[in-house]
Amino acid sequence: MMGNIGTEQPRTAAGKFDYKPFTPPEGSLTDESEGTFAFPPETFDTAAALAEFFESAPISDRILSNADHAFRKWREDRIVADLRRDYAAWDNDPRTVATAKRNPIEYHRQADAFSVTRRAEIEAQYPIHSISPVTLRKVLRARQIVVWRGLLPDAEEQAALDWPVTIAGVATTAADVTHRYSTAEWVERALTDSDLAAVDAMTLVTATLVDIDENGASR
């Protein structure tokens, strides 16, 4: 159930992956002449030049911290969403409905057991719990090489996808890294100077207060 590159980038009419530009986040600074890790120069002549840029461009501590948070949150959000979907299906099953009417205590016991067991099964579908800082840097660099290959001449784009990357001693490619770590799902959120964890925490607090207010409960 891991993500893939196709969800992150549009395709041309011919089915070819196309370049997806990014809008600089508020508060970020870019050097238009030399570019930054989040916002590179406008063109590159070869895949090697593109890869060399992203493999040497500094990744700020903020982006690294944001990426760690974004990946963990994406994984947990997916697990919770999948569990809610499966729980709803179980809860609406006629056998479950019958048990709830006949024996509420047994129903709640089964509900707790289902939630624990099913969550463990879903977690196994997302085996990467977290990414070490060393690996995270490589994942981010590979992702940028893949996403920004649209800056290259057409003949060089495949070379960017096939760019060699070694993670934990295993040789792979930039495209394979983006698949394995589902970068389409979470990396873009991390490329900001804002504290993503703080932003998400504030968003949660705001949503909770709105929910309380709408339901007329006392704060």
Side-chain angles (χ1 to χ4, degrees), residues 32-67:
E32 294 182 359
S33 61
E34 298 181 2
T36 66
F37 181 76
F39 306 102
E42 291 185 359
T43 59
F44 291 91
D45 294 329
T46 64
L50 177 74
E52 181 180 356
F53 173 83
F54 282 119
E55 289 180 342
S56 60
I59 303 176
S60 70
D61 288 346
R62 172 60 65 204
I63 286 180
L64 198 63
S65 176
N66 283 346

Side-chain angles (χ1 to χ4, degrees), residues 10 35-36 47-48 58 85 92 107 109 145 149 157 175-176 180 197 211:
T36 66
R85 177 202 63 208
N92 289 316
Y107 163 76
R109 186 196 68 77
I145 291 170
R149 69 188 184 281
E157 288 195 27
D176 285 341
R180 174 171 172 73
D211 182 64

Side-chain angles (χ1 to χ4, degrees), residues 134-145:
V134 172
T135 298
L136 188 54
R137 288 187 178 90
K138 292 184 177 182
V139 171
L140 292 173
R141 294 187 190 285
R143 185 267 187 184
Q144 292 296 79
I145 291 170

Side-chain angles (χ1 to χ4, degrees), residues 169-192:
V170 178
T172 183
T173 67
D176 285 341
V177 169
T178 63
H179 279 287
R180 174 171 172 73
Y181 291 92
S182 301
T183 59
E185 307 292 342
W186 55 273
V187 168
E188 187 171 356
R189 297 189 68 229
L191 302 180
T192 174

Side-chain angles (χ1 to χ4, degrees), residues 21-213:
F22 290 87
T23 301
E26 290 185 16
S28 68
L29 301 176
T30 60
D31 184 328
E32 294 182 359
S33 61
E34 298 181 2
T36 66
F37 181 76
F39 306 102
E42 291 185 359
T43 59
F44 291 91
D45 294 329
T46 64
L50 177 74
E52 181 180 356
F53 173 83
F54 282 119
E55 289 180 342
S56 60
I59 303 176
S60 70
D61 288 346
R62 172 60 65 204
I63 286 180
L64 198 63
S65 176
N66 283 346
D68 177 69
H69 169 77
F71 176 79
R72 292 170 184 265
K73 186 176 186 302
W74 165 76
R75 179 179 183 271
E76 179 62 19
D77 287 350
R78 286 298 299 267
I79 290 171
V80 170
D82 290 355
L83 180 58
R84 286 176 175 169
R85 177 202 63 208
D86 294 349
Y87 183 89
W90 173 84
D91 198 41
N92 289 316
D93 186 286
R95 292 166 296 181
T96 304
V97 174
T99 299
K101 292 179 179 179
R102 182 181 65 254
N103 190 337
I105 294 178
E106 176 61 16
Y107 163 76
H108 287 297
R109 186 196 68 77
Q110 290 183 12
D112 290 342
F114 177 88
S115 295
V116 171
T117 301
R118 187 60 188 135
R119 180 178 175 102
E121 293 171 346
I122 294 172
E123 285 181 348
Q125 297 173 23
Y126 301 89
I128 303 175
H129 293 246
S130 61
I131 308 174
S132 72
V134 172
T135 298
L136 188 54
R137 288 187 178 90
K138 292 184 177 182
V139 171
L140 292 173
R141 294 187 190 285
R143 185 267 187 184
Q144 292 296 79
I145 291 170
V146 168
V147 169
W148 289 96
R149 69 188 184 281
L151 298 176
L152 295 167
D154 290 348
E156 288 288 313
E157 288 195 27
Q158 188 60 47
L161 292 172
D162 296 336
W163 190 256
V165 179
T166 300
I167 293 182
V170 178
T172 183
T173 67
D176 285 341
V177 169
T178 63
H179 279 287
R180 174 171 172 73
Y181 291 92
S182 301
T183 59
E185 307 292 342
W186 55 273
V187 168
E188 187 171 356
R189 297 189 68 229
L191 302 180
T192 174
D193 291 335
S194 300
D195 184 337
L196 191 57
V199 171
D200 283 344
M202 184 59 68
T203 300
L204 179 60
V205 169
T206 301
T208 301
L209 292 176
V210 168
D211 182 64
I212 291 174
D213 186 59

